[in-house]
Amino acid sequence: MKRTISLFLLAAVLGCTKPSGLMMKTANTIAVDADDTKDSIILKAAHVVPTPNQMDALSDEFIAFIHFGPNTFTRMEWGNGMEDPKVFDLRELDTDQWCQAMKAAGMTKVIFTAKHHDGFCLWQSRYTEHGIMSSPFKDGKGDVLKDLAESCEKYGLKLGVYLSPADLFQIENPEGLYGNLSKKTERVIPRPVEGRPFDNKTTFKFTVDDYNEYFLNQLFELLTEYGPVHEVWFDGAHPKRKGGQTYDYMAWKELIHKLAPDAVIFGREDIRWCGNEAGQTRDTEWNVIPYDEDPNAMSRFGDLTAKSLGSRDDLLKGKFLHYQPAETNTSIREGWFYRDDTKQKVRSADDVFDMYERSVGGNSIFLLNIPPNRQGRFSDEDVQVLEEVGKRIEQTYGADLLKGAKGPAEVLDNDPNTYELLAGEEQVIEIIMASEVEANRFVIQEAIASHSERIEKHALDAWIDNQWQEVAAATNVGYKRILRFPTVTTTKWRLRILESRVAPAIAKVSAHYYENRPPQLAFSRSIDGLLTIEPQKHDFGWKPHGEDISKNINNDLEIRYTLDGSEPTPDSKLYHVPFLHEAGQVKARSFTKDQAGSVAEKTFGIIKKDWKLVGTDQEADGHVGTMAFDENSQTYWTSTRNGAHFLAIDLGQEQTLTGFVYTPQTANADGMIEEGMIKTSANGKSWKTLETFKFGNLINDPTPRTHYFNAPVSARFFRIESRVIAGGKSGAAIAEIDFLTKE
């Protein structure tokens, strides 16, 4: 049901011929009074709006993070602050290449870590020698931020700076300023340095201690010597503290507002952290949130990680209602800094594109880190992902399928400053197309700059088979909501607002088509024989977000499979849920509306639920024998002593088998059984050799290998013995062993 508001408020909305939808003055922060009712608090929330700078930040949508510094060369995530600046052994730098790749991805702004927690400065600061000025790069004359600022101007990207409040060099250095217990006295910012005058003659007077003076001096450099700065990023992480050091944020804020009037401040009142580093998003991300104190007067801001931040119940708990959008941040690589191109995995284009749609299309800003390598460039794999994501964004959202459609002019004119106010009892917008279109994405934007975020629940209908059919539904909208649904062919759309705080103002709607890409499939089977067929998961283990990426972006996906060896077609059996598969070959293929993926196939051995371990020659810690038949190829049995190795298994009953499959462990290159024997037994005690086997090139190609017996054999007990371990190693390992039936 539609939420109700008081008759008085409803009359205020409906009483005019052209109601404005505004019943009080809008503001970025609105106080909650002691005599406010639940309805009046919700009314106030519906009049909390972003500042112009916040609105610009939301409109930037997809932005970049650059983590670069000594950690790039030491391969550490966090430095200790006492690294010799010479470890920053940069020989070349190509910030143009960075900007080309970011531009190709559709990014609009880059935030550069000018100083991370280690205190190492990547610009020519006047106030320390701990930085690039003491490194070999350009004989100490280099300035990474200067090069990046020039490249940003060349490629039309906005620039932001990350200046870590934490500073391990200033903490660990005996003469360091952080926590040195200095008294607060009046200081002039910037402090003059002989031979290094500033072109910008603005000065400030602040009563601060030594470290805050140091920090303000460096802020002054960053905000006056590298062109316009559009975001200042303050990390809340603190690897170490000292001396009860506090931050005079109000002084920082005054300086930023004066020197960078277009900048938003991350980690404070302007922009907040989403609450994780995995690219995980809330289903409902409200940007109007409650505070117990006036956020404009606060110096410290805690991390907001709760699942719900701005619901009706949340709003009733606060004393101030404040507009504060979230940045959804994560890294394209496993870690914030570059380590290597082999073991440090890179996110797939599917993953990044899905995060783009979930974050930008979920009322937040998407901040993706791309760490340059030790050659001063983005690595090729990172660039390929960025280019593919940018291609998909442009192909999907570069054209509006509603162009030429009939409906409220204010929502179809592509002008965020015009809007359709839904002040009537039935809050509905209908769009009639000029011709039939195929679409699987629909974008909605509220006029948040003038009317805040008000929609609490909505649904989208398409005209199909001469009737309205609901194709998508969601909760709030705010700056932008991207609805994703299976492809429909339609001539009409209907947007229904089901719940709202007060009359919502819709600024824009648009329809789009994403070309689904049928994914490669993978099989897995439980110990009980339940077979799962699903899109192959990209191997990326850093801070998992838990999203089903392929399902999210490929709404038309179907999986078809066969068990008789034939090729799957659109008419083959449709996979829904895991099913019992006792043994034999499975073939599967993914299909979307107009495309077919490649065929995946696998031959499964007999079910393992009744298997028991008879014995092994040895079990290394954490790698017991049962791990060789637990239906998990990521675990493995290993024996590490010298000599021959064996693993003996009781299959639970006599089976007639035609061969076996050996899956080597892939955690390293050890224990791969190149040659061995397979033995059988009637009682698990007396063994006779059945056959020998040999597998080649395991170290370079550690994939499952199949050995077929010369003739089917019936037995209950089987024993695998090693004779030769690949690469001359001494131990043996089995990730998984499977036995094939006569089928």
Side-chain angles (χ1 to χ4, degrees), residues 408-458:
E410 292 81 359
V411 303
L412 298 172
D413 61 4
N414 203 30
D415 183 351
N417 297 312
T418 63
Y419 57 88
E420 175 76 3
L421 185 70
L422 300 183
E425 181 64 25
E426 188 178 21
Q427 299 180 340
V428 173
I429 288 177
E430 289 191 18
I431 308 292
I432 302 174
M433 310 292 295
S435 60
E436 196 172 64
V437 298
E438 286 186 325
N440 50 29
R441 301 290 193 274
F442 199 88
V443 178
I444 310 162
Q445 293 186 260
E446 288 187 79
I448 58 171
S450 58
H451 286 71
S452 186
E453 45 188 33
R454 298 178 171 188
I455 297 171
E456 295 175 306
K457 188 176 180 181
H458 64 285

Side-chain angles (χ1 to χ4, degrees), residues 318-462:
K319 296 179 181 178
F320 292 87
L321 306 177
H322 178 64
Y323 195 93
Q324 190 183 32
E327 272 182 7
T328 300
N329 66 329
T330 193
S331 183
I332 199 171
R333 283 182 167 257
E334 292 179 328
W336 293 106
F337 288 89
Y338 175 90
R339 292 195 300 277
D340 59 67
D341 276 331
T342 53
K343 295 182 180 179
Q344 187 185 28
K345 298 181 180 65
V346 177
R347 290 189 187 276
S348 67
D350 280 357
D351 195 0
V352 177
F353 182 73
D354 176 49
M355 282 191 285
Y356 168 84
E357 291 194 309
R358 285 190 288 107
S359 55
V360 175
N363 200 30
S364 75
I365 303 158
F366 183 24
L367 174 61
L368 179 68
N369 178 65
I370 314 107
N373 59 29
R374 288 180 285 279
Q375 287 71 49
R377 294 171 58 85
F378 289 167
S379 292
D380 290 345
E381 187 175 358
D382 306 48
V383 172
Q384 290 168 5
V385 170
L386 293 172
E387 290 177 345
E388 173 62 21
V389 169
K391 179 181 175 183
R392 294 191 193 185
I393 293 172
E394 176 60 28
Q395 288 179 343
T396 306
Y397 297 102
D400 180 6
L401 299 177
L402 298 186
K403 187 175 181 180
K406 295 180 180 179
E410 292 81 359
V411 303
L412 298 172
D413 61 4
N414 203 30
D415 183 351
N417 297 312
T418 63
Y419 57 88
E420 175 76 3
L421 185 70
L422 300 183
E425 181 64 25
E426 188 178 21
Q427 299 180 340
V428 173
I429 288 177
E430 289 191 18
I431 308 292
I432 302 174
M433 310 292 295
S435 60
E436 196 172 64
V437 298
E438 286 186 325
N440 50 29
R441 301 290 193 274
F442 199 88
V443 178
I444 310 162
Q445 293 186 260
E446 288 187 79
I448 58 171
S450 58
H451 286 71
S452 186
E453 45 188 33
R454 298 178 171 188
I455 297 171
E456 295 175 306
K457 188 176 180 181
H458 64 285
L460 178 69
D461 304 327

Side-chain angles (χ1 to χ4, degrees), residues 566-587:
S566 62
E567 297 293 295
T569 70
D571 297 322
S572 298
K573 193 164 186 178
L574 179 64
Y575 174 82
H576 289 292
V577 295
F579 61 91
L580 181 65
H581 181 63
E582 295 184 351
Q585 186 183 55
V586 182
K587 288 187 177 183

Side-chain angles (χ1 to χ4, degrees), residues 272 274 282-286 288-290 304-315 317 501:
R272 61 187 164 85
C274 68
R282 297 177 177 87
D283 291 336
T284 305
E285 186 74 79
W286 289 104
V288 176
I289 58 177
L304 302 176
T305 60
K307 185 177 181 180
S308 176
L309 296 178
S311 70
R312 287 187 173 230
D313 289 341
D314 296 325
L315 296 176
K317 301 172 185 176
R501 292 178 171 176

Side-chain angles (χ1 to χ4, degrees), residues 94-104 110 147-148 150-153 155 157 378:
D94 192 350
T95 54
D96 273 5
Q97 187 248 9
W98 304 0
C99 290
Q100 286 173 335
M102 292 184 288
K103 194 75 173 178
V110 53
D147 285 2
L148 177 58
E150 291 173 353
S151 295
C152 283
E153 184 176 7
Y155 288 93
L157 293 170
F378 289 167

